[in-house]
Amino acid sequence: MPTVSEDGSGGLVLTFSMLNAASRGTATMSTQHSSDLGATDAWDAAGNETLVPEGPGTGIVVGVVSFDVTENGGLNDVVATIPGSEGSGGKLFGRLTATMGLP
């Protein structure tokens, strides 16, 4: 489960750990965001779903989401920041999804 906070610009910050690429096999993780819990702004709409980078690095931008990924043993510690401009009416929701690929 991610911890959630807000950055100084009104962005949504999700902080979580995930297995690193060598340990997780074909599984992938994505961040998703919506301004209305998916009612009319779908979680998986183009631009609302972003694949979490596999390797370490800071300031990695994928779509609109900025990632800082740090190796921590067999885990990657991830900080994902979704800009506040992605929300509407002062509301921005985020979640993580995991998908297991076929071997």
Side-chain angles (χ1 to χ4, degrees), residues 59-76:
I60 302 166
V61 178
V62 181
V64 298
V65 182
S66 175
F67 293 94
D68 291 331
V69 182
T70 307
E71 285 185 293
N72 183 6
L75 299 174
N76 283 345

Side-chain angles (χ1 to χ4, degrees), residues 80-96:
T81 304
I82 304 164
S85 60
E86 292 298 304
S88 177
K91 297 178 184 176
L92 179 59
F93 302 93
R95 69 181 185 182
L96 296 175

Side-chain angles (χ1 to χ4, degrees), residues 18 20-21 24 52-58 60 67-71 76-78:
M18 61 187 248
N20 65 24
R24 91 175 153 261
V52 176
E54 291 190 12
T58 57
I60 302 166
F67 293 94
D68 291 331
V69 182
T70 307
E71 285 185 293
N76 283 345
D77 294 332
V78 180

Side-chain angles (χ1 to χ4, degrees), residues 12 14 30-50 82 92-97:
L12 180 64
L14 305 174
S30 296
T31 63
Q32 294 181 332
H33 63 276
S34 173
S35 60
D36 63 5
L37 293 173
T40 61
D41 183 24
W43 291 105
D44 60 353
N48 286 5
E49 183 171 38
T50 306
I82 304 164
L92 179 59
F93 302 93
R95 69 181 185 182
L96 296 175
T97 62

